[in-house]
Every structure is written in C-alpha cells, then in structure tokens.
C-alpha cells in the first residue's frame, strides 16, 4: 500500500449515497432533491411480482409524481431493451431515471439516462468502450435489490450485443447522482440468488485487489472491507429460506459489502474471472453471479499456480485428512479434479508433457502474494499456525473458493448449466474478445489458457 502512495492515482465515486432500512420508501423525497418529477423506473417483472417496488411506488403516488415503469428487463439484456426503455422515457418526456433491481436493470437505467437526455444524438454503438460517451445525461438514481453487482456505484454498463458477446460502456457520466441501499429490498431473495450474487460481489473485491491496472490504496481498503463483510455474512443470508429472511443486520452488511466492492472495482477494474464468465451469460444465459461463481476457483488456481503453492497446500490437506480419517487419506476423485491433484509418485514434480509457452513458463508472484494477503479475511481458521507462509495462505484462499459454492448450494461445474466439451473452443474465443478486462489480470491469459480453465471447470 505505501509503495503505491508515491505513484499518481485517482478515485471516483457516486455523488451521494443513502442507506438504511426503509430508505427506498422515501424515493419521492430523494427525487425531489434532484428536481425530478417525471421519472422512468427501470426494473423487471420479478421485482414487480414480489412487491419489492411497492413501497417506493407508493411514496411517488403520495407525492403526486407522474412516473412510469419499464419492466421488460432480462438477465444479460440485449441492446434492443435499452432502446425500448429509452423510447419509453422519451415518449413520456422523463426528466429522470431510476434503476430499481439487479445489475441488469441498473445498467439499462444508466444508458437510458444518456439516450433519453434532450439533445442526445450519440448512438449507443458509439458509446461502447472506455471514455467514449459525449452526451450529458438525465438525473439518475440507483436502488439495488440484490447484494452483488455493485452497479449502483460503478461507471459501467454491460450489454449483450451478439450471441456470445458482451460489450461495456465505461464513462464517468454513468456514475449516478444517488445510490439508495435498503436492506429490506433483499429480504425476499431466494437462497440460491443470494449465494450467487454474494459470490459475485466477492469476485469484485478479489479482482479489484489483484487488478494489474489502477489498483490503489483506497480501492484496496474497500476491497478488503467488502470481503470481510461478505465473507462473514453470506452463509447466514443463504441459510435463511424464502419466507424466513436473514436478520436485517446480515442483509445490510451484504448490501454494504457489495457497495464497497463496487466502489473498489469501479476504480481498479475486474479481470479474467469476468472475461471468462461473460460468454457463459451471453451464450448459455447463465446468471452473471453464477457465471462468476463457476469460473472463480479455476481462475484463482490459474493465477496462483506454481508447484510450491499447489503442493504445499495439498500436502497440508492430505495431512489433515489423514489425521481425521486414517482409513481414507487419499482425496476423492472429485477433490482431485477440483484441486487439479495427482498423487505424487516421486519427490519432485515430473517435467511437463507439453512445451511451455511464454505464458506458462513464468508465473508472476503478484497473485500469490496478494491472495495470501486476503486469505486471513476469509479463511483464518483453516490457516491456523501456518498463516506466515505465503504459499500456504494462497493455497488456502484458492481452496476456500473451490468449496464455497457447493457449501452454499450452487452448481459447481459447467456441465450443470448446459456446457459441453464441444463448446469450449467457442467460449474461449469469445472470452479472448474481452480486451477491456484481460489486461487487468495479474497473470496473462492466452487462448490455450482460457481453454484449459474452461476444461477444468467442466
């Protein structure tokens, strides 16, 4: 952290944030402060059917605010939905936009605020990329209903532009005027949704902390605190069934952790986990959080992979298993696949069976050391007396996220979401198109690397 203080760095954030139970039910008050009287609310049918919007809508009716609702949002929204919502906003002469839902609704809301702004002549296609937005926007308020995406505090909107392809608009103009964090809105989340969105937020924190570009002391601070809040509360939130919501304190902590992670990756951008997850969403319509959950342990393993990290941690796990189950010390076949384990027959690892490319020959120490720094936040109990070893700590960190999805009841293999061996080539090719994300990874990812990562996740 101190070594980065001598290098120039910057930090941007949402202009204002309000938090607390019931804060969404004061939406009319929040909009009045921005001078908005005709807002378009962008949401989805699930949010409407669950009654999550009811309190906010009632506050607008009481204040005689003439609002309309766009509720056609789907996961990984296509550009057609952006244009449809923008058309509705222009037709009603909206003077503000509210994103009310998950990341997809909030991403559409960001782009609608641009496209429906009076005088905007810039087409959406010209906005894709970093820093290409020229248009001013309408006032924008974001109200998340999941603890995961962090979109309420990021200058990024992601849209599906073709089968297998997502593109992003990245611009300071997308930072909203206000983010509203209300833990009551996440009370009805099904456990599997809470699990996937929670891991999504953890990915944001991890990738921000290890980002090869723009990582800075403030993003580090937020990423660590996000991981602490999320790691301490995700099990409790997911253990509560529908109709039996987790305590308000745990839900509020998850929402705040997601927001912190969003602030972190808004400034220190995400990397290979997201790059490999995007094709799963755009091709197989896997929800974004679940896509990240499926790819996370395998990208972590790739980034930190060295014989020292793998063998030290595997040795420790084998000793632990031998002590607890003397008759069953050898890992199960599934454990071997998860950890890329093969029982050692000789003291030193065998030579590689294929020639090493430049990307395979040298593993930068950055990922291992950074994962070791984060490990005590989420797996201090597993580390025990070995916490001083960077190799063991990084191995523990990778292992923790290899086990967490199954512990939370999520799918853990790509086959479970419809991916087959024959799909790996096209997935990897599409992942390599994510040139905005891949340079941020602490280890360079080539096409054959992506194929191997997907194959490991099958």
């Amino acid at each position: 952290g101190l070594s980065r203080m001598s290098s120039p760095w910057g930090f941007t954030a949402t202009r204002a944030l309000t938090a607390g139970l019931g804060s969404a039910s004061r939406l009319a008050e929040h909009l009045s402060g921005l001078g908005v009287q005709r807002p378009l609310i962008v949401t989805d049918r699930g949010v409407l059917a669950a009654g999550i919007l009811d309190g906010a809508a009632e506050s607008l009716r009481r204040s005689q605010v003439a609002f309309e609702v766009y509720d056609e949002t789907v996961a990984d929204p296509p550009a057609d939905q952006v244009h449809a919502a923008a058309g509705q906003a222009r037709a009603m002469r909206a003077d503000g936009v509210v994103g009310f839902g998950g990341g997809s609704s909030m991403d559409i809301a960001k782009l609608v605020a641009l496209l429906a702004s009076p005088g905007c002549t810039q087409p959406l296609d010209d906005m894709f990329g970093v820093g290409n937005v020229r248009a001013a926007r309408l006032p924008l308020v974001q109200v998340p209903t999941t603890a995961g995406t962090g979109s309420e505090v990021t200058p990024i909107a992601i849209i599906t532009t073709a089968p297998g392809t997502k593109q992003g608009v990245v611009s300071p103009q997308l930072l909203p005027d206000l983010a509203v964090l209300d833990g009551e809105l996440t009370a009805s989340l099904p456990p599997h949704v809470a699990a996937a969105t929670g891991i999504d937020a953890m990915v944001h924190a991890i990738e921000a902390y290890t980002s090869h570009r723009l990582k800075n002391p403030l993003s580090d601070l937020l990423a660590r605190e996000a991981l602490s809040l999320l790691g301490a509360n995700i099990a409790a939130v997911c253990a509560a069934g529908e109709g039996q919501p987790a305590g308000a304190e745990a839900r509020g902590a998850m929402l705040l952790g997601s927001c912190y992670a969003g602030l972190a990756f808004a400034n220190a951008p995400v990397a290979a986990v997201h790059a490999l997850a995007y094709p799963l969403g755009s091709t197989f319509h896997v929800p974004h959080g679940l896509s990240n959950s499926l790819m996370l342990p395998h990208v972590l393993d790739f980034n930190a992979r060295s014989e020292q990290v793998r063998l030290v941690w595997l040795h420790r796990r084998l000793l632990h298993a031998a002590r607890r189950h003397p008759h069953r010390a050898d890992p199960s076949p599934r454990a071997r696949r998860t950890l890329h384990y093969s029982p050692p027959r000789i003291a030193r690892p065998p030579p590689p069976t294929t020639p090493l490319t430049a990307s395979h020959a040298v593993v930068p120490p950055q990922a291992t050391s950074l994962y070791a720094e984060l490990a005590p936040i989420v797996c201090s109990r597993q580390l025990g007396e070995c916490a001083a070893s960077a190799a063991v700590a990084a191995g523990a960190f990778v292992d923790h996220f290899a086990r967490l999805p199954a512990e939370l009841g999520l799918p853990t293999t790509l086959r479970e979401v419809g991916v087959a061996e024959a799909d790996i080539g096209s997935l990897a090719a599409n992942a390599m198109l994510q040139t905005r994300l891949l340079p941020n990874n602490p280890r360079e990812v080539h096409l054959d690397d992506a194929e191997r990562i997907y194959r490991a996740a099958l």
Side-chain angles (χ1 to χ4, degrees):
L2 292 178
S3 63
R4 290 190 297 277
M5 290 298 292
S6 59
S7 301
W9 61 275
F11 193 91
T12 58
T14 294
R15 296 175 186 175
L17 186 148
T18 185
L21 296 178
S23 55
S25 296
R26 301 193 300 275
L27 183 58
E29 176 187 334
H30 302 320
L31 291 173
S32 177
L34 296 171
V36 176
Q37 286 297 315
R38 294 188 309 279
L40 175 71
I41 299 176
V42 179
T43 188
D44 63 69
R45 293 180 179 177
V47 167
L48 285 184
I52 299 172
L53 183 62
D54 291 354
E58 180 57 31
S59 79
L60 298 178
R61 295 188 188 98
R62 285 197 307 267
S63 298
Q64 298 183 327
V65 175
F67 70 96
E68 290 187 15
V69 175
Y70 176 84
D71 65 355
E72 299 294 324
T73 304
V74 298
D76 302 303
D80 288 350
Q81 290 196 341
V82 175
H83 292 303
Q88 182 175 343
R90 285 190 289 264
M92 66 173 286
R93 299 178 63 188
D95 61 358
V97 181
V98 178
F100 201 106
S104 295
S105 293
M106 290 190 283
D107 282 2
I108 289 179
K110 293 175 184 179
L111 298 175
V112 169
L114 289 171
L115 295 171
S117 178
C120 175
T121 59
Q122 185 179 10
L124 176 60
D125 286 349
D126 286 355
M127 297 181 182
F128 289 117
V130 179
N132 293 327
V133 173
R134 300 187 301 273
R137 64 158 173 78
L138 296 171
L140 176 63
V141 174
Q142 299 282 37
V143 188
T145 61
T146 65
T149 69
S151 184
E152 70 275 9
V153 291
T154 69
I156 306 164
I158 305 297
I159 299 297
T160 299
T161 54
T165 304
K166 290 185 179 184
Q167 288 185 270
V169 178
V170 183
S171 171
Q173 285 98 310
L174 296 186
L175 286 168
D177 297 288
L178 176 67
V180 180
L181 307 182
D182 185 346
E184 286 184 352
L185 303 182
T186 66
S188 61
L189 279 180
H192 72 280
V193 176
T197 57
I199 291 181
D200 184 22
M202 297 174 93
V203 172
H204 295 154
I206 294 166
E207 292 207 294
Y209 195 80
T210 59
S211 186
H212 186 61
R213 297 175 52 253
L214 305 179
K215 171 179 163 70
N216 63 75
L218 188 50
S219 67
D220 283 356
L221 182 70
L222 288 162
R224 291 176 64 90
E225 184 61 22
L227 204 56
S228 177
L229 288 169
L230 297 163
N233 291 280
I234 190 169
V237 168
C238 296
E242 292 184 72
Q244 298 177 316
E249 185 174 345
R251 287 186 278 108
M254 290 293 292
L255 201 55
L256 187 58
S258 172
C259 179
Y260 285 170
L263 287 167
F265 90 84
N267 291 274
V270 294
V273 176
H274 278 74
L276 273 70
Y278 280 169
L280 297 177
S282 55
T283 304
F284 293 91
H285 305 293
V286 180
H288 176 67
L290 178 56
S291 297
N292 273 341
S293 173
L294 288 165
M295 299 314 304
L296 174 61
H298 304 285
V299 174
L300 292 180
D301 179 73
F302 169 80
N303 288 342
R305 183 175 298 179
S306 71
E307 289 304 324
Q308 184 186 17
V309 170
R310 289 204 297 147
L311 295 181
V312 167
W313 182 243
L314 286 169
H315 176 66
R316 188 172 185 274
R317 291 204 74 197
L318 286 171
L319 288 178
H320 179 70
R323 292 184 186 124
R324 292 188 59 189
H325 307 287
H327 62 288
R328 189 167 52 87
D330 190 52
S332 67
R334 177 165 181 79
R336 295 179 192 176
R337 290 195 301 273
T338 301
L339 294 166
H340 311 284
Y341 171 84
S342 57
R345 298 182 181 276
I346 56 177
R348 299 178 63 183
T353 55
T354 57
L356 294 177
T357 67
S359 68
H360 308 139
V362 178
V363 180
Q366 181 189 25
T368 296
S369 62
L370 292 175
Y371 293 159
E373 291 173 12
L374 294 176
I377 298 174
V378 292
C379 48
S380 58
R381 187 172 58 183
Q382 296 96 311
L383 288 172
E385 72 282 358
C386 296
S389 167
V392 169
F397 188 75
V398 174
D399 182 69
H400 175 79
F401 285 102
R403 291 183 289 104
L404 183 62
E407 292 173 358
L408 299 178
L410 292 175
T412 58
T413 68
L414 295 184
R415 294 188 191 278
E416 293 175 75
V417 295
V419 179
E421 175 79 27
D423 300 312
I424 287 177
S426 61
L427 286 173
N430 285 329
M432 298 311 295
L433 298 177
Q434 299 299 324
T435 54
R436 178 178 64 87
L437 304 178
L438 290 173
N440 307 324
N441 203 56
R443 181 181 177 188
E444 192 173 358
V445 181
H446 292 266
L447 178 63
D448 56 341
D449 298 319
E451 291 174 347
R452 271 189 285 272
I453 293 170
Y454 280 125
R455 195 165 284 111
L458 269 180

